[in-house]
């Protein structure tokens, strides 16, 4: 090539704009200022969400040691910086959950928000519902709120139907990754759904806070990275991005409305809660001048609002703000169907109701007809006509259902069509487009009506003569006469209304919709027969929410006949769904039909269905105590559970959950003799749940004699300690030093910790739960090694007092488990005095004094008929009273401290005097003086008020010393008698303790901080 040619090529090449190279993730590690510059670009490449994915993917990569063993990600500076960069990108996006949810998968967003909780210093090991948001730093409280908002939003989004992606040939290698991500998403969803009530409580608590909120920005995250947080700047009330209380409340109301609306399908009153939250959302939106930090879908909010009003009947027709939606729904609820039809005809002129809403009303009536309300068939026909006229006026394609109606209309139907057409053009001056569209509609009627007598009814109508020109009428009539001469209509059978002349795809779509909705086994079979006659494809994939256990999938998909395969899969999936929503009646019908079907050809599937029906009956009986029934299960069911536990059929797939719930069932119904004496030893060795059940039953059975029960208790202790242990490995680092790596949990336990906790939450027998609480409280006390702040529980003496290898126990896991266990037990019986004291102790040792005092007072209330009887001395021991005193002191309720000091066996004058010296008290102060009877404390009270010059308060104290009436009201006749100095006799006087504890109990605890 010549020099001139080379120059020409170079000039052409240089004249083209070059594509900038994409910035790599590691470049942001090398240049701290690059991220902010990159995010400020108009169209950054990679985008913000892509950056978050890259940063977290690199930070979570597992490492490999010298023995080629995969280890958890190393906690080093590089990984911490990558996580911080991901948080900075989210901060740049202003923590907009809408954007984050669209761009990130559930596992990635879960990792991001957990990292936000970590850097925001949310207390580890403490459930969010137990945190007092008003006492937390602003950015910490906001991190908790964002996480719990995301939790309930994810639950709501997961309930929406999804279109399954069909992997192409080039994607087959990605199936394993996609499956892993799906399993991770399902695990996260299971946890979020289990904690949904806690998340709702946290957000409802956030609505009580009236102050502005602050969330991390790039600047505050930089301060955290540079250790500048030591000066308290990132924890101050003004650090970060300010979000007004109204903006946050608006967003939280919207999110809570969404979760309550989702729960409404199984809990009707939840719709009312959803309606209230959406009403608050609308009111706050009107109140806000700017909605910079409010990210919600206005159309979806309007849809939610209209749906809630329809479902709750909350609409007043006389209200000027009542919408047409409300009016239509009110008419439907009142069964005033003629008025609904009239409203649709009027709307053909006004055209204010969206066509999708009109179609949804028609679908609702059609569903009622399918459910057996045949009287509504005529209403469906009329609504279908009204919708068709509306479609015609707007130039839309006529619906398939209306074309079905034209196959065999009656004279009354045609007359009604013409009436609707006439009334739909009753404007003063209808537009030319409307007149033209109506004329086309009338021509279509004449062409489609096979009965010429009905077609001539149309052609002779006034509206037809008015809208069509003479030439059009003549041409149409000529066509109709020719058709009459060539077609013998009487010889052709007319199809029924439900014979669909549309394409096969329309047929299949409608049948698939019915298949999804139906719970009648015979109807499901009939639909599947019709579908298989139209297309050969797997119809068990119609609904992505239909799922059967992985243990059974291969057996079911191995059925050779496609129709039978679909039927078995769908019957089982629908039955399992009914069990999950506690619709046991429909579940029995579906499972019985499935059992009858598989009995004919597969002994293996027959046993599978018998096992699932056993699980159904077990769960049905387990829900009865929650509904107030104390009836024991029939002996037949107990025998079936025993038979399942002892079953040994090698080629039958067994679901772990059935064995788990069977053991829980035996424990809950106190079948301890079977578990301890009659279970074959081979079962105990091979089934961890039976092993655990046997140890629990043996320990509970011999609890009255601590010495005899120590052997089985020690064995149960060893099993639980092993479950809560972690394995420890040493690894030599690059500088030659030994580092310590902790894996998540030891593989030596008979169960994984998560499965163990799931099993515990299926138990409801009080003695079993008390035993487990006692065990975990002892284990918690040993690993915490804090003698002063120990948690108390029953039967602590039966457990060992030391651990040989305390470093192997996961302290945080034990702390979380004991909290979850006690909280779960109190949901079953909130009046168990022992559990209440244990819960109070847990709150006390974690410095949550307001909650601790609340539970101490509840414990006293339940065992004294709300303090109308003496509180047993073994409940309000000196230790409990001292802890109550400290709770009051930490909440600045100093007068209550002085009052409670009198209840101790020996009055604690030093603490009482110190409390009375405090001038900034958050309780009723001198209103409590009537409940001070100790002369020494009264004299000290008189002295300090005199010293401060508080004449009025000093006079109250002096009058109490001189007057015995306040002692009489406390139940003490003689101020100087022995009763005054005896706290035991005082506690035995209900009128004394009752008034004091009642006042403390009903007084709202102050917000500290």
């Amino acid at each position: 090539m010549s020099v001139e040619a080379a120059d020409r090529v170079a000039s052409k090449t240089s004249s083209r704009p070059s594509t900038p190279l994409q910035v790599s993730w590691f470049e942001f590690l090398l240049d701290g200022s690059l991220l902010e510059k990159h995010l400020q670009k108009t169209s950054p490449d990679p985008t913000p969400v892509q950056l978050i994915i890259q940063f977290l993917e690199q930070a979570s990569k597992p490492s490999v040691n010298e023995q080629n063993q995969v280890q958890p990600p190393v906690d080093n500076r590089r990984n911490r910086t990558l996580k911080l960069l991901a948080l900075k990108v989210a901060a740049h996006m202003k923590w907009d959950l809408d954007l984050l949810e669209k761009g990130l998968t559930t596992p990635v967003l879960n990792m991001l928000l957990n990292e936000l909780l970590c850097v925001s210093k949310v207390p580890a090991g403490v459930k969010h519902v137990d945190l007092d948001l008003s006492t937390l730093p602003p950015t910490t409280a906001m991190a908790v709120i964002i996480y719990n908002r995301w939790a309930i939003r994810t639950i709501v989004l997961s309930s929406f139907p999804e279109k399954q992606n069909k992997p192409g040939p080039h994607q087959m290698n990605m199936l394993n990754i996609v499956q892993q991500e799906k399993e991770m998403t399902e695990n996260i969803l299971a946890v979020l759904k289990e904690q949904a009530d806690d998340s709702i409580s946290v957000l409802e608590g956030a609505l009580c806070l009236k102050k502005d909120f602050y969330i991390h920005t790039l600047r505050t995250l930089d301060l955290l990275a540079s250790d500048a947080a030591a000066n308290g700047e990132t924890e101050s009330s003004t650090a970060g991005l300010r979000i007004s209380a109204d903006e946050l409340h608006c967003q939280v109301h919207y999110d809570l409305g969404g979760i309550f609306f989702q729960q409404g399908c199984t809990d009707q009153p939840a719709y009312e809660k959803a309606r209230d939250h959406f009403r608050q959302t609308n009111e706050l939106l009107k109140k806000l001048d700017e909605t910079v930090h409010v990210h919600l879908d206005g159309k979806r909010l309007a849809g939610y609002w209209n749906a809630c009003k329809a479902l709750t009947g909350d609409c007043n027709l006389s209200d000027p703000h009542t919408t047409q939606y409300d009016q239509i729904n009110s008419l439907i609820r009142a069964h005033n169907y003629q008025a609904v039809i009239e409203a649709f005809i009027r709307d053909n002129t006004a055209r204010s109701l969206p066509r999708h809403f009109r179609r949804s009303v028609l679908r609702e009536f059609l569903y009622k007809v399918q459910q057996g309300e045949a009287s509504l068939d005529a209403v469906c026909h009329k609504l279908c006509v009204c919708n068709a006229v509306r479609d015609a006026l707007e130039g839309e394609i006529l619906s398939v259902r209306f074309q079905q109606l034209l196959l065999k209309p009656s004279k009354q139907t045609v007359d009604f069509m013409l009436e609707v057409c006439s009334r739909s053009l009753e404007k003063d001056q209808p537009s030319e487009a409307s007149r033209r569209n109506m004329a086309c509609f009338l021509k279509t009627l004449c062409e489609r009506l096979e009965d010429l007598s009905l077609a001539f009814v149309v052609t002779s109508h006034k509206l037809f003569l008015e809208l069509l020109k003479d030439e059009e009428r003549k041409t149409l009539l000529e066509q109709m006469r020719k058709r009459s001469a060539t077609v013998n209509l009487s010889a052709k059978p007319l199809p029924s209304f439900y014979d669909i002349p549309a394409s096969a795809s329309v047929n299949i779509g409608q049948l698939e919709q019915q298949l999804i909705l139906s719970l009648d086994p015979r109807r499901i079979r009939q639909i599947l027969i019709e579908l298989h006659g139209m297309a050969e494809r797997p119809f068990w994939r119609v609904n992505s929410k239909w799922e059967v256990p992985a243990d059974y999938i291969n057996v079911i998909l191995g059925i050779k006949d496609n129709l039978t395969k679909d039927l078995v899969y769908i019957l089982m999936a629908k039955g399992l769904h009914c069990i999950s929503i506690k619709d046991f009646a429909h579940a029995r019908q579906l499972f019985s039909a499935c059992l009858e079907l598989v009995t004919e050809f597969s002994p293996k599937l027959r046993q599978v269905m018998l096992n699932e029906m056993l699980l159904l009956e077990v769960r049905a009986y387990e829900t009865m105590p929650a509904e107030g029934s104390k009836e024991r299960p029939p002996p037949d069911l107990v025998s079936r559970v025993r038979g399942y536990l002892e079953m040994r059929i090698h080629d039958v797939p067994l679901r772990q959950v059935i064995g788990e719930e069977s053991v829980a069932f035996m424990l809950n119904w106190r079948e301890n003799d079977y578990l301890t004496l009659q279970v074959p030893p081979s079962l105990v060795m091979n089934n961890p749940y039976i092993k655990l059940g046997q140890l629990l039953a043996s320990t509970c059975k011999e609890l009255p004699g601590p010495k005899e029960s120590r052997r089985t208790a020690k064995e149960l202790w060893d099993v639980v300690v092993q479950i809560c242990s972690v394995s420890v490995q040493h690894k030599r680092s690059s500088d030659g030093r030994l580092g310590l790596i902790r894996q998540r949990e030891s593989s030596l336990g008979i169960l994984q910790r998560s499965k163990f906790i799931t099993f515990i939450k299926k138990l409801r027998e009080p003695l079993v739960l008390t035993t487990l609480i006692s065990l975990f409280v002892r284990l918690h006390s040993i690993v915490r090694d804090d003698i002063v702040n120990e948690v108390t529980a029953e039967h602590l003496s039966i457990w060992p007092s030391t651990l040989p290898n305390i470093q192997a126990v996961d302290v945080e896991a034990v702390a979380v488990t004991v909290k979850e266990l006690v909280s779960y037990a109190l949901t079953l019986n909130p009046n168990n005095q022992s559990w209440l004291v244990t819960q109070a102790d847990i709150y006390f040792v974690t410095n949550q004094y307001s909650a601790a005092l609340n539970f101490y007072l509840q414990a006293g209330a339940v065992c004294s008929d709300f303090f109308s009887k003496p509180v047993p001395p073994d409940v309000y021991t000196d230790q409990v009273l001292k802890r109550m005193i400290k709770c009051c002191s930490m909440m600045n309720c100093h007068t209550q401290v002085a009052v409670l000091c009198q209840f101790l066996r020996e009055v604690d004058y030093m603490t009482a005097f110190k409390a009375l010296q405090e001038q900034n008290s958050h309780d009723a102060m001198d209103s409590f003086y009537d409940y001070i009877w100790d002369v020494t404390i009264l004299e000290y009270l008189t002295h300090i008020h005199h010293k401060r010059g508080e004449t009025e308060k000093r006079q109250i104290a002096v009058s109490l010393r001189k007057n015995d009436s306040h002692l009489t009201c406390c139940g003490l006749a003689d101020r100087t008698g022995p009763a005054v100095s005896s706290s035991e006799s005082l506690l035995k006087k209900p009128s004394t303790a009752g008034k004091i504890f009642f006042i403390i109990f009903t007084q709202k605890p102050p917000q500290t901080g």
Side-chain angles (χ1 to χ4, degrees):
M1 182 185 293
S2 65
V3 175
E4 291 81 7
D7 289 340
R8 284 196 301 271
V9 172
S11 64
K12 288 181 181 179
T13 305
S14 61
S15 64
R16 297 175 185 170
S18 60
T19 303
L21 294 175
Q22 189 182 66
V23 185
S24 297
W25 61 269
F26 61 83
E27 295 182 51
F28 296 98
L29 285 175
L30 304 176
D31 185 356
S33 62
L34 179 60
L35 180 64
E36 196 164 353
K37 295 176 184 176
H38 179 79
L39 294 174
Q40 288 172 353
K41 294 179 182 178
T42 307
S43 299
D45 185 20
T47 63
V49 290
Q50 288 174 342
L51 279 178
I52 293 175
I53 294 170
Q54 291 177 17
F55 291 149
L56 293 180
E57 182 182 357
Q58 294 298 326
S60 60
K61 276 189 175 179
S63 59
V64 180
N65 62 12
E66 297 170 356
Q67 289 78 33
N68 285 331
Q69 294 175 333
V70 178
Q71 302 294 314
V74 181
D75 184 18
N76 54 22
R77 182 179 176 184
R78 168 190 175 275
N79 288 346
R80 287 194 296 270
T81 305
L82 285 168
K83 292 176 183 177
L84 192 65
L85 287 172
L87 292 175
K88 285 184 177 181
V89 178
H92 169 76
M93 299 169 71
K94 297 183 179 178
W95 304 99
D96 184 349
L97 288 180
D98 280 342
L99 294 177
L100 293 171
E101 287 165 347
K102 288 175 184 176
L104 303 177
T105 62
T106 299
V108 174
L109 191 46
N110 179 59
M111 190 187 310
L112 177 72
L113 295 181
N114 273 292
E115 192 60 30
L116 173 65
L117 295 175
C118 182
V119 302
S120 301
K121 299 180 182 176
V122 176
V126 179
K127 295 172 70 173
H128 291 177
V129 72
D130 296 333
L131 296 171
D132 185 354
L133 295 180
S134 64
T135 64
L136 297 176
T139 51
T140 305
M142 193 63 187
V144 173
I145 293 171
I146 287 178
Y147 178 85
N148 287 281
R149 277 187 54 219
W150 167 76
I152 64 172
R153 287 164 64 100
T154 303
I155 295 171
V156 173
L157 288 174
S158 71
S159 66
F160 295 161
E162 300 174 344
K163 184 176 180 180
Q164 290 183 321
N165 295 323
K166 296 181 180 179
H170 64 286
Q171 292 178 302
M172 294 305 291
N173 292 333
M174 299 294 292
L175 284 179
N176 287 338
I177 298 175
V178 172
Q179 183 62 27
Q180 288 176 6
E181 185 172 299
K182 182 182 178 183
E183 290 176 359
M184 289 174 63
T185 302
E186 290 174 349
N187 292 336
I188 292 170
L189 271 174
V191 174
L192 295 180
K193 288 177 181 178
E194 187 178 335
Q195 299 174 351
D197 291 341
D198 288 352
S199 294
I200 291 171
S201 299
V202 169
L203 295 178
E204 287 175 339
L207 294 175
C208 300
L209 303 178
K210 306 303 180 185
K211 61 184 181 181
D212 291 342
F213 295 82
Y214 293 84
I215 187 59
H216 280 300
T217 60
L218 272 74
R219 177 176 174 275
T220 58
L221 291 170
D222 274 331
L223 291 174
L224 288 174
S226 61
D227 294 331
N231 60 15
E233 185 173 359
T234 58
E235 296 185 5
S236 70
S237 59
T238 58
L241 177 65
R242 176 183 169 275
I243 298 174
S244 69
D246 285 342
E247 285 181 301
L248 182 73
H249 289 175
C250 180
Q251 189 72 64
V252 170
H253 278 300
Y254 177 74
D255 294 335
L256 285 172
I259 189 70
F260 282 126
F261 189 88
Q262 189 241 359
Q263 293 177 350
C265 60
T266 55
D267 180 20
Q268 187 68 23
Y271 284 127
E272 297 179 3
K273 296 180 182 178
R275 176 202 61 200
D276 295 339
H277 283 293
F278 289 131
R279 178 186 289 121
Q280 292 285 345
T281 306
N282 283 319
E283 291 175 358
L284 286 168
L285 282 174
K286 294 175 184 176
K287 177 181 175 182
L288 290 168
D289 296 329
E290 295 182 349
T291 56
V292 179
H293 305 298
V294 177
H295 306 285
L296 50 82
D297 187 337
K299 291 183 179 179
R300 177 165 288 179
L301 173 61
Y304 271 137
W305 175 240
N306 290 325
C308 286
K309 289 196 292 183
L311 290 164
T312 60
D314 181 26
C315 56
N316 183 5
L317 296 181
S318 61
D319 187 351
H321 299 291
T322 299
T323 64
Q324 281 188 291
Y325 297 102
D326 303 331
Q327 294 171 359
I328 297 291
N329 287 316
S330 296
L331 293 172
I332 293 173
R333 278 194 304 276
H335 304 292
N336 191 353
Y337 304 131
Q338 185 58 39
V340 175
I341 296 167
E342 290 294 324
F344 271 44
I345 296 174
R346 289 194 302 272
D347 184 65
N348 283 349
T349 304
R351 302 184 194 178
S352 56
L353 286 175
R355 283 184 293 116
H356 65 78
F357 174 74
R358 295 169 60 117
R359 287 195 293 267
S360 71
V361 172
L362 175 59
R363 281 196 299 270
E364 183 177 343
F365 279 99
L366 288 169
Y367 177 74
K368 291 180 179 179
V369 171
Q370 291 176 356
Q371 297 301 310
E373 297 186 41
S375 60
L376 296 179
D377 205 21
V379 178
C380 291
H381 291 179
K382 290 183 177 181
L383 290 177
C384 184
V385 170
C386 293
N387 286 347
V389 174
R390 167 71 179 272
D391 290 339
L393 286 170
E394 295 186 353
E396 299 292 335
I397 298 173
L398 299 179
S399 69
V400 173
R401 194 167 296 280
F402 178 71
Q403 295 181 37
Q404 296 169 1
L405 184 60
L406 290 180
L407 292 174
K408 190 182 177 182
S410 63
K411 173 70 166 52
Q412 292 80 3
T413 301
V414 174
D415 289 339
F416 180 74
M417 288 182 191
L418 295 171
E419 178 191 350
V420 173
C421 291
S422 301
R423 293 178 60 183
S424 298
L425 280 179
E426 281 180 353
K427 290 183 179 178
D428 295 335
Q429 292 182 344
S431 68
E432 187 60 32
S434 296
R435 291 172 61 87
R436 187 169 58 251
N437 290 335
M438 183 61 76
C440 291
F441 177 69
L442 293 175
K443 285 176 64 177
T444 301
L445 282 183
C446 294
E447 293 168 352
R448 294 290 177 87
L449 289 171
E450 296 186 1
D451 187 343
L452 287 184
S453 63
L454 296 177
F456 283 120
V457 170
V458 178
T459 58
S460 62
H461 193 268
K462 173 185 174 182
L463 186 64
F464 181 87
L465 298 173
E466 178 186 337
L467 294 179
L468 271 76
K469 297 177 182 179
D470 291 342
E471 294 180 1
E472 291 177 315
R473 291 199 303 271
K474 289 179 182 178
T475 303
L476 185 61
L477 289 171
E478 186 65 27
Q479 292 175 352
M480 291 168 61
R481 288 191 185 98
K482 289 181 180 179
R483 189 174 60 179
S484 173
T486 57
V487 178
N488 182 7
L489 292 176
S490 60
K492 182 178 180 181
L494 291 172
S496 69
F497 176 74
Y498 290 105
D499 288 340
I500 305 172
S503 66
S505 61
V506 176
N507 265 310
I508 292 173
Q510 292 175 344
L511 287 171
E512 285 179 345
Q513 183 184 20
Q514 294 177 32
L515 183 64
I516 292 172
L517 295 175
S518 180
L519 290 175
D520 180 6
R522 294 183 180 275
R523 179 62 183 148
I524 292 170
R525 182 175 180 274
Q526 180 185 353
I527 293 171
L528 282 173
I529 291 172
E530 294 181 38
L531 285 170
H532 276 272
M534 302 166 74
E536 275 299 325
R537 68 168 187 249
F539 290 100
W540 58 270
R541 293 180 177 175
V542 166
N543 189 351
S544 63
K545 300 296 180 184
W546 286 342
E547 293 183 352
V548 300
D551 308 85
Y552 303 155
I553 191 71
N554 291 331
V555 181
I556 295 176
L557 297 185
I559 299 173
K560 294 181 179 179
D561 181 67
N562 291 332
L563 173 60
T564 306
K565 181 195 304 179
D566 286 345
L567 186 55
V568 171
Y569 188 99
I570 293 171
L571 289 175
M572 181 179 287
K574 283 178 173 283
L576 291 171
H577 171 71
C578 289
I579 293 176
S580 68
I581 62 173
K582 299 182 180 179
D583 183 0
F584 299 115
H586 278 117
R588 287 189 183 94
Q589 292 177 11
L590 292 161
F591 278 179
S592 297
C594 192
L595 175 63
E596 182 180 351
L597 175 65
V598 299
T599 300
E600 299 174 359
F601 65 89
S602 175
K604 184 185 298 185
L605 279 174
R606 177 182 179 276
Q607 188 59 54
V608 164
M609 289 312 305
L610 288 173
N611 295 344
E612 289 298 322
M613 293 184 76
L614 173 63
L615 179 61
L616 162 64
E617 298 301 334
V618 165
R619 286 188 173 171
Y621 265 93
E622 288 297 290
T623 59
M624 290 174 61
E627 298 168 358
S629 173
K630 295 183 179 179
E631 180 183 354
R632 284 188 62 82
D636 172 62
L637 180 57
V638 177
S639 299
R640 287 169 60 194
V641 171
R642 292 183 179 184
Y644 176 83
L645 292 175
E646 298 173 10
M647 185 173 61
R648 282 291 171 269
I649 305 177
H650 297 293
D651 59 341
V652 174
L654 300 177
R655 272 219 292 164
Q656 177 180 289
V657 68
I658 305 180
E660 177 184 351
E661 298 212 13
S662 296
V663 174
F665 175 84
M666 301 297 276
L667 286 169
N668 290 336
W669 292 103
R670 296 179 292 281
E671 294 289 333
N672 292 342
D673 288 340
Y674 171 77
L675 290 172
T676 55
L677 302 175
Q678 300 174 28
V679 176
S682 59
L683 286 181
V684 179
M685 297 297 295
N686 298 324
N687 190 322
Y689 294 105
I690 294 180
K691 171 75 171 176
L692 199 57
Q694 185 186 62
L695 291 174
L696 281 168
S698 300
T699 305
C700 293
K701 190 176 178 182
E702 299 182 2
L703 263 183
K707 292 182 180 178
E708 292 78 7
S709 64
R710 282 182 184 271
R711 183 182 60 81
T712 52
K714 176 65 167 63
E715 194 173 349
L716 176 62
W717 170 271
D718 292 338
V719 166
V720 173
V721 168
Q722 196 66 58
I723 291 174
C724 295
S725 296
V726 291
S727 59
V728 180
Q729 291 183 348
H730 291 282
K731 175 183 175 182
R732 191 171 297 279
S733 59
S734 57
D735 57 1
R737 292 181 298 178
L738 284 177
L740 188 63
I741 297 176
R742 287 199 171 208
Q743 294 180 347
R744 291 185 178 177
E745 58 184 282
S746 172
S747 59
L748 300 178
I750 64 171
L751 278 177
Q752 292 180 358
R753 192 178 309 124
S754 59
K755 293 181 179 178
F756 176 62
I757 294 175
T758 302
F759 173 71
I760 288 176
K761 291 186 177 180
K762 289 182 169 66
L763 302 173
R764 53 176 180 74
E765 165 58 28
L767 186 57
V768 175
L769 289 171
T770 298
T771 302
L772 282 169
I773 289 172
S774 172
L775 188 154
F776 274 98
V777 165
R778 169 66 79 179
L779 185 57
H780 183 251
S781 299
I782 293 174
V783 297
R784 285 186 76 250
D785 194 21
D786 186 354
I787 300 176
V788 177
N789 291 324
E790 284 193 346
V791 180
T792 59
E794 293 182 291
H795 312 303
L796 288 177
S797 61
I798 68 172
W799 310 113
S801 55
T802 58
L803 277 174
N805 188 10
I806 195 170
Q807 292 82 8
V809 178
D810 190 336
V811 180
E812 184 176 344
V814 173
V816 170
T817 304
V818 72
K819 291 174 185 175
E820 287 191 19
L821 178 54
V822 178
S823 298
Y824 165 72
L826 286 173
T827 62
L828 299 176
N829 182 7
N831 295 326
N832 187 300
Q833 162 260 314
S834 173
W835 298 346
L836 286 168
V837 173
T838 302
Q839 180 72 291
D841 286 343
I842 291 171
Y843 282 126
F844 182 84
V845 301
T846 53
N847 303 329
Q848 298 178 71
Y849 299 109
S850 176
L853 182 61
N854 184 18
F855 278 96
Y856 282 132
L857 290 167
Q858 284 188 52
V862 299
C863 64
S864 63
D865 197 8
F866 214 91
F867 302 113
S868 63
K869 300 174 183 176
V871 180
D874 59 335
V875 177
Y876 276 178
T877 62
D878 265 11
Q879 179 182 346
V880 170
L881 289 168
K882 287 178 180 178
R883 290 187 171 186
M884 293 171 69
I885 289 168
K886 183 174 180 180
C887 290
C888 291
S889 177
M890 298 304 294
M891 294 190 300
N892 291 333
C893 298
H894 301 297
T895 319
Q896 293 180 20
V897 170
V899 172
L900 290 177
C901 283
Q902 302 171 108
F903 285 93
L904 297 169
R905 286 184 174 81
E906 295 183 6
V907 180
D908 188 350
Y909 290 113
M910 292 297 294
T911 303
F913 293 167
K914 184 178 179 181
L916 293 173
Q917 289 174 4
E918 299 285 346
Q919 292 182 282
N920 183 21
S921 187
H922 291 171
D923 55 21
M925 299 184 71
D926 48 330
S927 297
F928 278 108
Y929 288 0
D930 282 339
Y931 302 100
I932 297 177
W933 59 85
D934 188 271
V935 178
T936 307
I937 295 177
L938 282 172
E939 289 177 347
Y940 183 77
L941 201 56
T942 306
H943 166 70
I944 60 171
H945 285 316
H946 174 74
K947 187 176 179 181
R948 294 174 185 165
E950 297 169 343
T951 309
E952 186 176 346
K953 293 183 178 180
R954 175 183 176 278
Q955 192 59 39
I956 294 173
V958 170
S959 64
L960 291 173
R961 288 177 56 199
K962 294 181 178 179
N963 190 359
D964 290 342
S965 62
H966 80 290
L967 299 177
T968 304
C969 84
C970 286
L972 300 174
D974 184 4
R975 173 166 49 114
T976 60
V980 175
S981 60
S982 174
S983 61
E984 289 186 7
S985 60
L986 179 63
L987 280 170
K988 291 178 181 177
K989 294 179 179 291
S991 59
T992 305
K995 291 181 180 179
I996 297 170
F997 289 128
F998 179 81
I999 291 173
I1000 299 175
F1001 190 93
T1002 54
Q1003 183 184 27
K1004 184 178 179 180
Q1007 300 294 336
T1008 59

